[in-house]
Amino acid sequence: MSQTTYNISTETALHLVANQRRRSVLTQLIESERNDVALDELAEHLSPENPPPGPGETMSSERLLLDLYHNHLPKLEEAGLVEYDDRTETVRYHPNDHVEKLHQFVTTELE
């Protein structure tokens, strides 16, 4: 795993925290005391907290894992906030003050 630090633009940071599921992932990663969090732990944390994707729909654990793996984690990884290790199925968070400040504002003031 690399140790690259990314400068994240305000537009990218806004895009990342605009989605409730990504905010929940970021919350868990920011608050975690461990360096790496298992993908299924993230999914477990999200399932009771996130509303269904649409009216009358439910999201199974498997679908949630797929959504994280194919949709949300790649966006966070592209921005340099996380690294996903396929071998161990863990997510490593790389702190970013800019994103964390915006995340805190959105979660405390706007939700």
Side-chain angles (χ1 to χ4, degrees):
M1 291 188 189
S2 66
Q3 294 296 321
T4 307
T5 302
Y6 291 84
N7 290 324
I8 298 175
S9 70
T10 301
E11 291 78 15
T12 298
L14 286 167
H15 176 72
L16 293 173
V17 301
N19 181 276
Q20 182 179 2
R21 185 151 291 135
R22 280 195 296 274
R23 281 196 310 276
S24 295
V25 168
L26 285 170
T27 297
Q28 186 173 4
L29 293 171
I30 291 167
E31 293 176 356
S32 176
E33 294 180 8
R34 296 186 323 260
N35 288 337
D36 299 322
V37 177
L39 182 60
D40 20 339
E41 268 186 68
L42 286 175
E44 280 178 36
H45 173 76
L46 296 176
S47 55
E49 179 175 300
N50 280 353
E57 294 180 29
T58 60
M59 183 169 275
S60 69
S61 297
E62 184 177 319
R63 238 179 105 201
L64 181 55
L65 280 169
L66 288 171
D67 190 41
L68 286 172
Y69 183 80
H70 290 289
N71 186 18
H72 301 295
L73 291 179
K75 287 180 170 95
L76 294 169
E77 193 165 32
E78 184 178 321
L81 288 176
V82 302
E83 285 180 71
Y84 178 70
D85 185 336
D86 278 319
R87 186 179 51 79
T88 61
E89 296 185 341
T90 56
V91 178
R92 174 169 285 177
Y93 175 64
H94 299 287
N96 181 289
D97 288 340
H98 188 62
V99 172
E100 286 186 19
K101 287 176 187 174
L102 184 58
H103 173 268
Q104 182 177 0
F105 173 76
V106 170
T107 56
T108 58
E109 300 295 325
L110 301 178
E111 286 188 336

